[in-house]
Every structure is written in structure tokens, then in C-alpha cells.
Amino acid sequence: MEKSCTMLIHFDKGTPAIANEIKEALEGNDVPAKVDAMKKAIMLLLNGETLPQLFITIVRYVLPSEDHTIQKLLLLYLEIIEKTDAKGRVLPEMILICQNLRNNLQHPNEYIRGVTLRFLCRLNETEIIEPLIPSVLQNLAHRHPYIRRNAILAVMSIYKLPQGEQLLVDAPEMIEKVLSTEQDQSAKRNAFLMLFTCDQDRAINYLLTNVDRVPEWGELLQMVVLELIRKVCRTNRGEKGKYIKIIISLLNAPSTAVIYECASTLVSLSSAPTAIRAAANTYCQLLLSQSDNNVKLIVLDRLNELKSSHREIMVDLIMDVLRALSSPNLDIRRKTLDIVLELITPRNINEVVLMLKKEVVKTQGGELEKNGEYRQMLIQAIHSCAIKFPEVASTVVHLLMDFLGDSNIASAIDVIIFVREIIEMNPRLRVSIITRLLDNFYQIRAARVCTCALWIIGEYCQSLSEVESGIATIKQCLGDLPFFSVSEEGEDTDTTKKAPQPNSITVSSRRPAILADGTYATQSAASETAFSPPTIVQGTLTSGNLRSLLLTGDFFLGAVVACTLTKLILRLEEVQSSQVEVNKASTQALLIMISILQLGQSSVLPHPIDNDSHDRIVLCIRLLCNTGDEIRKIWLQSCRQSFVKMLSEKHLRETEELKAKAQVSHAQPDDLIDFYHLKSRKGMSQLELEDEVQDDLKRATGEFIKDGDDANKLNRILQLTGFSDPVYAEAYVTVHHYDIVLDVTVINRTKETLQNLCLELATMGDLKLVERPQNYTLAPESSKQIKANIKVSSTETGVIFGNIVYETSNVLERTVVVLNDIHIDIMDYISPAVCTDAAFRTMWAEFEWENKVSMPCPFDAIVLTRLLCFNHHLCAAMQVAVNTVIQDEKEFLDHIIKSTNMKCLTAPSALDGECGFLAANLYAKSVFGEDALVNVSIEKQIDDKLSGYIRIRSKTQGIALSLGDKITLKQKGGS
């Protein structure tokens, strides 16, 4: 059996010391050599060596030494050597050290006395301690505080021994007297801790007697007082009123650690508005006064917890929380914004938006790192504010539109999406937004921002002047036509065979990307990064942003340009009375579209135009040549109606999520109701009265009822052995965030006593056994509860396996009972989460590990195409063929969502209808902060069977493989 260890020292096993060399050094007179020899002996003992021959040598040559270092090492040596025999009796030679310890406790040097008293705190042998007790008690009255504080700790350790109450009968009374006269803060803390540990009633009596002096006590003593209050109030909640007054008085203490503990204790003990407000104010003060980022993050976590349970109080402190944005740390800023966005009300929205606007303006300076990322967070926060309270949009939308040309593309995308939503929700802002957008359009440098801006121009340019300005802006950004000359194309073809052109256009690589509906498409990297400075194509000068992006081979942008021009021409026909002007504009638009098609089919660019973009541009050309009323209605009205429907569904979904979060548990109809109006208020302060009221409200609303269902607890019990085994064992598994607790019940089913019974466990995966369970003796037909703690370091399916080993008096050999394996479910570590479509696609492109679960089916053209797209971007994959008995696509998706505990990001409206095909994105987050992404793409075959793929991606391999295994087990529709 492994022994307990009170200290740990690093030991280099490459250079082991020899016992004879150590013995010779100890017998010499060289003090440094003795010190080195003692260190080597201690290290050998800590690593399993016994060295019995050194004990007499140390007693003869080391005990008499007056050197402080040697005396300290001697006590460490005595601490770790074996002092008892196999039967637990103290070894006879240990009597030799008792006199030395007594002399040390009466030594004139304070250091020797102090370290000896500390040594006694780790001594468990009563036979050695008993003759030393008078000397220990004498040190309680020593003049030096270092000795007194260690003497108090020694008394506490002795009193806590199994026979300690017989050795020191009146120890609590003595320590209480010491506490009343002690002046040293550390000694007072130790004395109060001794009373708190060994005689709680005396500690409470002392606290209540000196309640007015508590704010004057030292930091260490105040921390112990708070710990005592927490312990007392947990066992007797009825008396917490008088202790809350003490906590309130400590909120003004000079120590930040005491203030933080006071706030935490207040929140845990009371729900009174006065107490919660005091705690929240304390957290806000710490948030602003502390410079350590870790402290700020911890305080923000506490404020986030308060926001969930006491939102109405936190609303009043929203501006104090916002002041944390002054920290340059992005994590602190992100947490601050997350808290603030859920505390916005009509009363504070203007102040919050004004503060966010000031922060956005500050990010324009280039002196701080990661300004672009911070600006993106601010834009998203302002977007959320404007959606909740549309009246503030007018104050921020024009400021944000200055960042459409931001070098941080993600920030620019957030701005244009915000503008697109605001222009629909606020009709009175449309004219000013369109005017500002047309003025700033030339600054846009990212293709994805350009496409969204062009859609806005095509949909919301209504008047004649707006339509003409929109057409003129697009023409200006495209530059002169054509994009190349036919003669130069031929020259290009001849010269490129000989040598590369010095001014040739560098086209970024193309790769598959996941679209919002879960399908794959080819995406050019030019749409993700800002374009390079304008490139000269032979015969023409590139002067506009649209032209530069088109010359990088982004023909999807070209198709959007064609669609926007088509909408503008169709609207021009409605608002322009002169047919000549309409024909002129239509001719110019047709020329632009033809030029884009010529560029895509020429050899100037390495990649030709894709079929989708080509077909869309051709459709626009045909539409302008021959327009019908039905087609006009689709282009000018249906697109906007679809967008409005999408926004309304999004807002409806967000509203439903907020309602779901706001739901609270309800009490049972036959529960007792406590009417606080009928209670006696005699002697109760306002704070105590508020606390009583809040407790009554919690009982009435069911907040005191535990969420855990007793029936579900039975699912956590696992049988480890069979009913016919001599030892029956079952385990109750409790999964916390970072550890697993196994509560194993072992039953002796035999008529014999089982000796040295031990539960031996081993783990596979990112699991680690924290402590090896000790040995037990089990009487016939008796049981024993054994607990084992296992540390979890990542989200990965782990396995715990092991056996039970025991001895009996009749059998010489040890008996081994093998236990069933315990599989740790990944579902205990992941929870549904939400992210934007853009964030999902970005993570999908970045994450390395992918696990693909395929559903066997005939390889038709669609499936083959998807497979090729997937393999083009494959980093690491494992393919498992499975079957499913489910035949309905939505039923299968619901089953996967329920089995994987994930959130479906795809809108319900996108899953409506019967088309024989379904694509959806799922998302979850682990307790370790890992992201799990799942894409489900399935279709129904002719025989009504489902086929397709379930792709899982994550940053680490473990979560991808574990989720894949889980889906493989659950796909058939089983439990």
C-alpha cells in the first residue's frame, strides 16, 4: 500500500547517491558536506529507499549539530522516516529523538523552536508527542509571535489526533484565552482557526462578542471569519441575518481579497436586494481597481452570474460594468460586452450606445494592437442594440458606414450586414443610408462586402436620382470597357508561352467552402482578403474596386453586378419618363455584362468563369432584352419580400429563445405558502426582512427545488461485477466539469472476512486517476463505500477499467475480480451553443480534424460530386458505413440533434417542405471551450432509404472522433 506523503522534492534519478558515501559525509566535521549528505538521504527516502543503517549515524553525528540548516533537514528526515512497525507500534529507537525534540522546544533560538513546532504539526505518533506536550504549551506564552503562532498550530494538530482530546482536554479553553490577549494578527488567525476547527461554538461566541471589532481585525483573521460564517449559515439558515450584518461591515475592508470573499458570501447566503446591490457594487469596484487581467475575468464571471439571477439590480450598474472596456485585453472586453448586451433597457440604451460609439472612434487610432478585432466586437454590439431598439439606429449607422472599407474584413462584413438590416427596419433612414453608401462605395475593398452593398443598392434605390446615382457609381467602379482588347489577348497567348508577364495578375487558390445551407461551393480566396493595389492589364487602366476584384477572377461578384444593374434598369423604366434615357442606360448595362462574359471566357485569366455565374449573367441579358410583368414583379418585389420574411423569422426565433431562458421552475400546487406579512418583525432589521421575503418568493416559485430528477439518477448507476461473484460492486458516476467522482459500493457476499481489499483502477484517454484508493478490511456480508476521483483534461470519450483485489485467511494467494468497463460519455461535456453563419463557415474552413460518417447508397452524380468536393478539402477523416431505419429526413435530423446534444443553426423555415434533400448545420461547445461543428447532408433514395453524409469538424481530434462514434451508435434510431 502506498504511504501518505507530506512533501515532494524533485530528484534526479540519473545520479543516485551511495549510502556509504552519505554515512561518511555525516560522520565528518564539514558542515556543507553534512548538509549535502542530508539532502541526498531525504531524496532517497522519498523515492522508496529505506536506509535503516543511517538512523544511528544521524542520531550520533547530526542531532548535536547547532547549524540551523542541518537542524531543519534533520526535522525533514524525521518527518519522512518510518516510525512504526508492521503492527503500528512505535519503534523503540524513536525514543532517542524525543529528548532532542524537547531540547529544541526549549532552545534559546526562536527559529529552532519554530521549525520544531511546525514539525510536530505533521507528527501522528501519540507515543512521541505525549512527553512533548508541556513544552508545547509553554511556547504559547513565548514573547516572540513566530513561536506563538506555530505553538497554536501544534496544539490544533495534536487536538485533532484520534486520542487528542485525552492528551489536551482543555485545549479550546487555553486557545480562547490566548485569543483574547494575543496582539499578533497571524497568531490570532491561527487561534481562531483552531476554535473554528475544533470547537465551533466557542468560535461563534467569540465572534458575536467582538462583532463591533471585526472590521479592525487583520486580513487573515477576517478570511477565517467569513469561512466560519459560510459554514454556520449552511447548517442553520435561520440565523444568517445577524451574520450578514458582519459581512456588510467588512465590505469596506482595505484588503481586496476580503472584499471579494465578502461579496461572494453575500450572494451565496442572501437574496435581499440590499445585499445583492452591495455585492454587485463591490464587484464593480474590484473590476475597475484591479490591474490583473485574471482578477478582472473572475469578477466578470461573478457579475455574469448575478445578471442571470438578479437582472433588475445589475441594470442599474450597467455603466460601471462598461468602464471595464478600458482594459486592452480582448477577452475582458468580450465578456464585458456580453454582459452589457443582456442588461439593455429603454432607460439606458442611449448611454450605452454613446459609450460604444466613443469606443469605436478610439479604435481608429493605430497605436493599439488588435484594434480591428475589437472594432468588430463593438460593431456587433451596436448591431444588437439597434435591433432591440430601432430608434437608436439613426445615431450610429452613419458612423459605422465609414468602416465599410476597413482593412479588417470581418469588421466590414458586420457593418454591411448591420446596414442591410437597419435599412429595412427603418424606412425613414433609407434615403440617407443610400446616399452615404453610394458616396463610400468606392472605399470597399472586400468582395463579400461589395456583393452585399450591391444588393442594397439594387433593392433600395427607389427615386430617379438614387437609381441614376447607383448606375453611375457602378460604372465608375468598373472603369473603362472592355476589360481587355481582343488583339492583346492574342499577344498574351503567344507571349505567355515564352515567359511570364511581369504585370500578370496573381490569382489566389480556390477551395471548397460550406454555404449557409450546408452545401459546398467553390470559393476564391480573393473574397476573403483585401485586394492588392490596382493591377495594370494590357491596354486598360484599372481604376475602381469592382474592376480590381473582377480581374482577380471573382465572377460571382460579376454576376451580382449584373443582377444589380438589371434591377436598377427595371426600376428606371418605372421612374424615368424619357424612354431615350432608359434605352441608353439599358445599353450601357448590357455592354458591361457582355464585357464580364468576354473576360470570363478569355485566356487573360488562368481560371474561366464558372457555369453558375455565366448562366446568371446570361439570364440578366435576356431579361433586359425582353421583360414581362411577371418577371418584373419577381425581380423588384419578391427578393425584398424574401429578405423581410428572413428577418421576421430571425427575430421570432430570438424572441422564443429569450422566452425559453426566462422560464422559471414552478412550485407544486399543494406546497405550503409562508405569508411573511403575518410574521413577527420584532428585532428584525430591514436587511433581514428583505432576506426573509426573498426566501419566501423563492419557495413560492420553486427555486429551492433541485432540478435533478431522481429517476435519471438511476441511469448513472453501473453494475461492475456479476451477482455470482464473491464481491458485488456497483458505481454511481458523478460527472463534473473537470473531474469525475466514482462512488463505488462494494458488498462482501461471502461468510469470510476479506483483508486488504483494494479497488484498483486504470484509465484510457485523457483521464487521470487523482488518488489511489486505500486498502480496507470487509467483514462477512458487509458493505463499504469507496470513492475515487478522476481528472478530465479534454472532451474525449474515455474508459475506466480495473479490478478488486483482496485476501482471505484460507487462501494464500490474492483473489482478483475483474470489473466491467465504465465508458465516460462525451455528452456530459458538450452543450448546445449558438454562432453566426459567418462564424460557422470560418471555423469550418480553419478546423483541421474532420470525421465523416457516411450512409451507404448508390453513387449517383450528386453524391459523387459532394464526395469529390469533400475530398478536395480533407485534412484527416475516418469513414464508417452505417444503416438507419429512419426514412423521414426531418425525423432523422431531430434524432441526431437529440443524440448529440447540439443546436441546429439552420432556420426551421429552411427545412420546411418536401424536396427529398436536407442540409443542416449543428453546433455545440464543450466545457473546455472547444467548438464542435456538424454538417448533416442527406437525401431520400427511390427506395425511400436515406443516404448522405454527416461531417464533424473540431480543432482537436478527440472530440471529432468521439462525436463520430456517438453518431454511429445512435444512427439507427435506437436509444
Side-chain angles (χ1 to χ4, degrees):
M1 174 180 160
E2 295 180 0
K3 303 170 187 175
S4 61
C5 180
T6 56
M7 63 177 176
L8 185 65
I9 301 174
H10 172 70
F11 178 61
D12 186 3
K13 294 183 179 180
T15 56
I18 301 174
N20 292 334
E21 295 177 356
I22 296 174
K23 186 176 180 181
E24 291 176 5
L26 293 175
E27 291 175 350
N29 295 323
D30 188 0
V31 173
K34 278 190 175 184
V35 170
D36 188 54
M38 285 296 295
K39 288 180 179 179
K40 290 178 180 178
I42 291 170
M43 289 179 181
L44 286 174
L45 286 168
L46 285 174
N47 283 273
E49 300 291 338
T50 54
L51 305 179
Q53 67 274 24
L54 287 183
F55 182 78
I56 298 301
T57 303
I58 289 174
V59 170
R60 290 182 60 191
Y61 297 99
V62 177
L63 277 182
S65 176
E66 293 293 328
D67 185 80
H68 289 180
T69 304
I70 292 179
Q71 285 296 320
K72 174 68 174 177
L73 292 171
L74 171 64
L75 294 174
L76 293 177
Y77 169 80
L78 295 176
E79 181 181 332
I80 61 177
I81 61 172
E82 191 64 45
K83 305 175 191 65
T84 58
D85 57 17
K87 296 183 179 180
R89 291 175 296 191
V90 176
L91 297 172
E93 56 266 29
M94 288 297 115
I95 200 68
L96 297 174
I97 67 171
C98 285
Q99 185 60 39
N100 179 72
L101 293 175
R102 186 183 293 109
N103 294 338
N104 282 354
L105 291 174
Q106 298 170 356
H107 200 281
N109 184 272
E110 290 87 357
Y111 176 75
I112 297 296
R113 285 198 188 200
V115 294
T116 306
L117 288 166
R118 290 179 66 87
F119 163 72
L120 293 180
C121 294
R122 294 185 285 273
L123 207 59
N124 297 321
E125 287 72 27
T126 308
E127 292 85 349
I128 300 176
I129 291 175
E130 188 172 3
L132 304 176
I133 289 177
S135 301
V136 172
L137 297 178
Q138 288 177 6
N139 285 302
L140 289 173
H142 195 274
R143 59 180 178 79
H144 202 286
Y146 174 70
I147 296 176
R148 295 199 303 272
R149 70 178 70 135
N150 284 296
I152 294 169
L153 290 178
V155 169
M156 181 174 69
S157 300
I158 296 170
Y159 192 79
K160 288 167 66 177
L161 291 175
Q163 296 85 24
E165 294 185 12
Q166 287 77 31
L167 296 175
L168 287 170
V169 180
D170 55 349
E173 296 177 11
M174 287 190 296
I175 297 300
E176 188 176 13
K177 291 178 183 178
V178 170
L179 182 59
S180 60
T181 58
E182 183 60 61
Q183 299 299 319
D184 181 68
Q185 295 297 330
S186 295
K188 287 186 72 173
R189 178 259 180 194
N190 291 349
F192 190 80
L193 180 63
M194 189 272 174
L195 293 180
F196 167 43
T197 307
C198 303
D199 194 341
Q200 186 172 304
D201 292 336
R202 287 182 184 273
I204 294 172
N205 183 52
Y206 178 80
L207 174 62
L208 296 179
T209 304
N210 298 274
V211 66
D212 295 331
R213 300 175 57 190
V214 172
E216 302 171 5
W217 291 349
E219 173 188 350
L220 296 175
L221 183 54
Q222 289 174 346
M223 295 290 280
V224 180
V225 166
L226 290 172
E227 189 176 350
L228 172 65
I229 291 174
R230 282 195 294 267
K231 184 176 180 182
V232 171
C233 291
R234 281 195 209 101
T235 56
N236 189 2
R237 298 186 65 89
E239 296 184 2
K240 63 182 179 180
K242 53 188 176 185
Y243 295 109
I244 290 177
K245 296 177 186 177
I246 300 175
I247 301 172
I248 295 288
S249 68
L250 287 176
L251 285 175
N252 297 320
S255 168
T256 54
V258 172
I259 293 173
Y260 175 80
E261 287 298 327
C262 282
S264 301
T265 307
L266 266 182
V267 173
S268 64
L269 295 183
S270 176
S271 299
T274 304
I276 298 300
R277 190 173 288 109
N281 280 320
T282 302
Y283 284 142
C284 290
Q285 292 171 12
L286 290 173
L287 188 62
L288 300 175
S289 63
Q290 296 302 301
S291 58
D292 190 334
N293 288 339
N294 294 317
V295 174
K296 288 179 180 285
L297 289 170
I298 292 170
V299 171
L300 284 170
D301 285 336
R302 301 290 84 77
L303 287 172
N304 191 38
E305 293 171 0
L306 280 182
K307 175 206 68 180
S308 303
S309 54
H310 303 279
R311 184 179 184 275
E312 65 284 351
I313 295 174
M314 288 297 299
V315 165
D316 297 333
L317 301 173
I318 188 170
M319 297 310 296
D320 293 329
V321 177
L322 262 178
R323 291 166 65 187
L325 291 177
S326 58
S327 170
N329 184 275
L330 281 180
D331 292 327
I332 293 174
R333 287 170 163 174
R334 184 178 292 108
K335 280 195 173 185
T336 302
L337 290 174
D338 290 341
I339 293 172
V340 166
L341 289 179
E342 295 189 28
L343 297 175
I344 297 174
T345 63
R347 288 188 296 121
N348 58 33
I349 180 64
N350 291 323
E351 291 180 286
V352 172
V353 170
L354 182 62
M355 181 78 171
L356 295 178
K357 282 173 61 179
K358 291 179 180 178
E359 291 295 315
V360 170
V361 173
K362 289 180 184 178
T363 61
Q364 290 179 303
E367 68 276 4
L368 294 176
E369 296 182 2
K370 298 184 177 180
N371 264 348
E373 192 173 346
Y374 178 42
R375 182 160 56 246
Q376 182 185 357
M377 288 192 293
L378 290 171
I379 291 169
Q380 291 172 349
I382 293 174
H383 186 178
S384 299
C385 294
I387 298 306
K388 292 179 181 178
F389 301 94
E391 62 273 11
V392 303
S394 59
T395 63
V396 294
V397 65
H398 297 102
L399 171 67
L400 295 185
M401 289 180 72
D402 292 335
F403 296 99
L404 286 174
D406 197 347
S407 56
N408 184 345
I409 296 172
S411 176
I413 291 172
D414 287 333
V415 171
I416 197 64
I417 290 175
F418 169 65
V419 171
R420 184 182 68 178
E421 195 163 344
I422 293 302
I423 200 172
E424 174 58 38
M425 296 176 59
N426 293 268
R428 59 187 179 85
L429 296 177
R430 287 177 184 171
V431 175
S432 59
I433 290 177
I434 284 294
T435 304
R436 191 65 172 264
L437 180 60
L438 292 174
D439 291 341
N440 294 348
F441 187 82
Y442 70 94
Q443 299 176 354
I444 300 175
R445 293 295 181 264
R448 293 175 63 185
V449 182
C450 275
T451 54
C452 192
L454 286 169
W455 185 89
I456 295 172
I457 292 171
E459 288 294 336
Y460 295 96
C461 286
Q462 302 290 337
S463 65
L464 177 60
S465 60
E466 290 173 350
V467 172
E468 290 178 344
S469 299
I471 295 174
T473 301
I474 294 174
K475 286 172 57 180
Q476 181 183 358
C477 292
L478 286 172
D480 298 331
L481 298 178
F483 296 105
F484 69 96
S485 61
V486 178
S487 59
E488 286 166 355
E489 181 188 2
E491 293 173 7
D492 274 349
T493 306
D494 295 335
T495 55
T496 50
K497 294 178 181 177
K498 301 175 184 178
Q501 293 291 329
N503 292 330
S504 62
I505 300 165
T506 302
V507 181
S508 302
S509 62
R510 302 161 73 86
R511 55 188 174 83
I514 185 169
L515 300 179
D517 62 351
T519 57
Y520 280 92
T522 302
Q523 178 182 6
S524 172
S527 63
E528 297 292 337
T529 56
F531 72 96
S532 56
T535 309
I536 297 178
V537 177
Q538 293 182 356
T540 56
L541 287 173
T542 59
S543 56
N545 53 350
L546 290 180
R547 186 185 190 95
S548 300
L549 290 167
L550 282 174
L551 291 175
T552 61
D554 191 347
F555 290 105
F556 176 75
L557 176 63
V560 176
V561 170
C563 293
T564 304
L565 286 172
T566 302
K567 291 179 182 178
L568 291 175
I569 297 300
L570 292 177
R571 191 159 284 117
L572 185 65
E573 293 176 358
E574 297 179 350
V575 297
Q576 175 62 267
S577 58
S578 173
Q579 189 62 35
V580 176
E581 294 296 329
V582 173
N583 292 339
K584 181 180 177 182
S586 179
T587 304
Q588 292 172 346
L590 287 170
L591 180 59
I592 291 172
M593 297 177 198
I594 295 297
S595 300
I596 295 173
L597 288 177
Q598 286 181 339
L599 178 65
Q601 294 172 350
S602 70
S603 59
V604 173
L605 301 179
H607 297 289
I609 187 172
D610 57 282
N611 292 333
D612 288 343
S613 300
H614 178 274
D615 293 345
R616 194 152 185 81
I617 296 173
V618 169
L619 176 65
C620 294
I621 294 172
R622 290 176 178 174
L623 181 62
L624 289 181
C625 295
N626 186 13
T627 305
D629 293 339
E630 202 62 38
I631 298 297
R632 184 187 301 274
K633 181 180 179 182
I634 292 173
W635 279 73
L636 296 183
Q637 298 179 16
S638 299
C639 293
R640 175 101 60 89
Q641 291 171 359
S642 299
F643 177 62
V644 172
K645 184 179 178 182
M646 184 190 79
L647 284 182
S648 61
E649 289 179 351
K650 175 186 172 186
H651 296 159
L652 180 63
R653 192 164 62 249
E654 291 174 352
T655 305
E656 290 176 350
E657 289 177 357
L658 289 175
K659 287 181 180 178
K661 288 181 180 178
Q663 286 181 351
V664 295
S665 56
H666 300 286
Q668 296 298 318
D670 57 346
D671 284 351
L672 294 178
I673 298 177
D674 194 356
F675 292 97
Y676 71 93
H677 295 287
L678 305 179
K679 287 183 179 177
S680 172
R681 302 187 184 186
K682 187 176 180 180
M684 292 181 67
S685 65
Q686 179 64 26
L687 180 61
E688 291 176 283
L689 185 61
E690 287 182 10
D691 192 57
E692 289 285 345
V693 172
Q694 291 299 319
D695 283 353
D696 293 341
L697 288 175
K698 282 188 174 182
R699 287 191 191 92
T701 56
E703 285 191 43
F704 281 161
I705 300 174
K706 294 183 179 179
D707 296 331
D709 187 6
D710 293 337
N712 292 332
K713 292 182 179 180
L714 296 176
N715 297 330
R716 297 280 184 181
I717 297 177
L718 303 173
Q719 184 178 340
L720 301 181
T721 62
F723 292 114
S724 60
D725 289 322
V727 175
Y728 176 77
E730 63 182 21
Y732 177 72
V733 183
T734 305
V735 179
H736 301 291
H737 281 180
Y738 302 105
D739 63 331
I740 300 169
V741 179
L742 294 182
D743 195 348
V744 182
T745 302
V746 180
I747 302 175
N748 180 5
R749 303 182 68 245
T750 67
K751 302 293 185 181
E752 299 177 346
T753 300
L754 306 183
Q755 299 174 349
N756 292 329
L757 183 142
C758 180
L759 175 65
E760 296 181 347
L761 297 174
T763 59
M764 187 173 67
D766 284 340
L767 304 176
K768 184 179 180 182
L769 188 65
V770 176
E771 187 179 7
R772 183 171 178 261
Q774 67 183 66
N775 289 7
Y776 298 94
T777 299
L778 211 57
E781 298 182 351
S782 64
S783 63
K784 185 71 180 177
Q785 298 284 339
I786 303 175
K787 284 195 174 183
N789 293 314
I790 294 170
K791 182 182 177 184
V792 184
S793 56
S794 71
T795 309
E796 185 176 348
T797 300
V799 181
I800 305 171
F801 51 93
N803 47 54
I804 292 177
V805 183
Y806 61 89
E807 299 173 354
T808 58
S809 56
N810 299 334
V811 183
L812 297 178
E813 296 181 358
R814 306 188 75 186
T815 305
V816 179
V817 178
V818 180
L819 306 179
N820 292 330
D821 296 343
I822 301 174
H823 293 266
I824 304 303
D825 195 352
I826 188 178
M827 295 301 105
D828 293 322
Y829 299 104
I830 67 173
S831 57
V834 179
C835 71
T836 62
D837 289 340
F840 185 92
R841 291 195 290 275
T842 301
M843 288 188 288
W844 188 273
E846 291 176 355
F847 286 174
E848 178 180 0
W849 292 101
E850 174 166 331
N851 188 4
K852 182 174 71 170
V853 179
S854 65
M855 303 173 64
C857 62
F859 276 97
D860 58 14
I862 298 176
V863 177
L864 183 59
T865 302
R866 292 195 191 112
L867 181 61
L868 291 175
C869 289
F870 166 73
N871 286 335
H872 182 69
H873 193 60
L874 179 62
C875 296
M878 183 181 75
Q879 187 166 306
V880 181
V882 292
N883 292 308
T884 179
V885 296
I886 302 175
Q887 295 186 351
D888 183 74
E889 303 99 311
K890 295 187 183 65
E891 183 184 348
F892 179 78
L893 176 64
D894 292 339
H895 178 68
I896 294 298
I897 292 173
K898 183 179 179 182
S899 302
T900 56
N901 195 27
M902 302 190 82
K903 172 78 174 177
C904 182
L905 300 182
T906 307
S909 58
L911 303 174
D912 288 342
E914 297 291 338
C915 63
F917 174 80
L918 183 145
N921 295 332
L922 312 181
Y923 179 64
K925 215 171 180 64
S926 75
V927 295
F928 302 98
E930 301 166 313
D931 300 287
L933 283 65
V934 174
N935 171 245
V936 180
S937 297
I938 53 176
E939 63 181 342
K940 184 175 288 189
Q941 298 296 316
I942 300 175
D943 57 358
D944 287 340
K945 290 184 178 180
L946 297 181
S947 63
Y949 300 99
I950 300 173
R951 295 179 179 87
I952 306 140
R953 284 201 179 185
S954 66
K955 202 168 188 178
T956 56
Q957 182 184 16
I959 191 170
L961 296 179
S962 299
L963 263 180
D965 294 341
K966 185 72 176 178
I967 292 175
T968 301
L969 292 172
K970 295 285 186 178
Q971 263 206 93
K972 287 189 177 183
S975 58

